[in-house]
Amino acid sequence: MANAASPSTTIVVNNLLLHCIIDLEHNSSPQKALFCAESALETAKRAHQYDLESKCQFWRGRCLMDLERWHEASLAFTRAASVKDWKGRVAVLKMECERQIERDSSRTTLRRCEGL
């Protein structure tokens, strides 16, 4: 069972995720938002706080979607699936990533065929 998060770890992780969310919501910089999410994830990992890691993976996945990095986003949502409150939301976002991956794959195949 995971250790309870220390108050300082929780504060640091949530502060980084808050910056991530603000950057995403105001469309300022998905790359900056991703940096915040990944920093939060590393903080949670160092503290062995698996519940916080899942939360970080969720927001990391949202950032990766905005950057159209579909495979990475899909993996992040798989890792975030243990966030009980967000299971339905995670599943919807993961399916969107999978649709985008399929769409990108179809476009690549079509381009190859057109080039013959």
Side-chain angles (χ1 to χ4, degrees):
M1 182 165 179
N3 298 328
S6 72
S8 61
T9 299
T10 302
I11 289 168
V12 169
V13 168
N14 285 331
N15 188 41
L16 287 164
L17 292 177
L18 180 59
H19 285 284
C20 167
I21 295 164
I22 290 168
D23 286 335
L24 284 175
E25 295 300 316
H26 295 286
N27 297 321
S28 60
S29 171
Q31 191 63 44
K32 183 178 170 191
L34 179 60
F35 177 80
C36 291
E38 289 182 340
S39 295
L41 178 60
E42 287 308 311
T43 301
K45 282 183 177 183
R46 279 194 307 274
H48 305 288
Q49 302 303 317
Y50 306 113
D51 56 332
L52 292 175
E53 285 183 45
S54 295
K55 189 175 177 181
C56 295
Q57 288 288 5
F58 175 84
W59 289 106
R60 187 172 168 267
R62 288 289 317 278
C63 296
L64 291 164
M65 284 183 74
D66 280 12
L67 293 166
E68 298 184 9
R69 292 166 54 182
W70 306 115
H71 287 282
E72 293 170 89
S74 178
L75 289 173
F77 289 127
T78 297
R79 292 178 183 126
S82 65
V83 179
K84 291 181 178 85
D85 295 341
W86 292 345
K87 276 190 178 177
R89 196 167 169 201
V90 167
V92 168
L93 293 170
K94 182 166 174 50
M95 284 187 292
E96 174 62 24
C97 291
E98 296 298 324
R99 279 193 295 273
Q100 291 293 342
I101 291 167
E102 183 63 33
R103 187 175 298 141
D104 289 351
S105 177
S106 296
R107 288 179 187 154
T108 300
T109 302
L110 182 59
R111 284 188 201 121
R112 285 185 188 144
C113 290
E114 289 173 348
L116 294 178

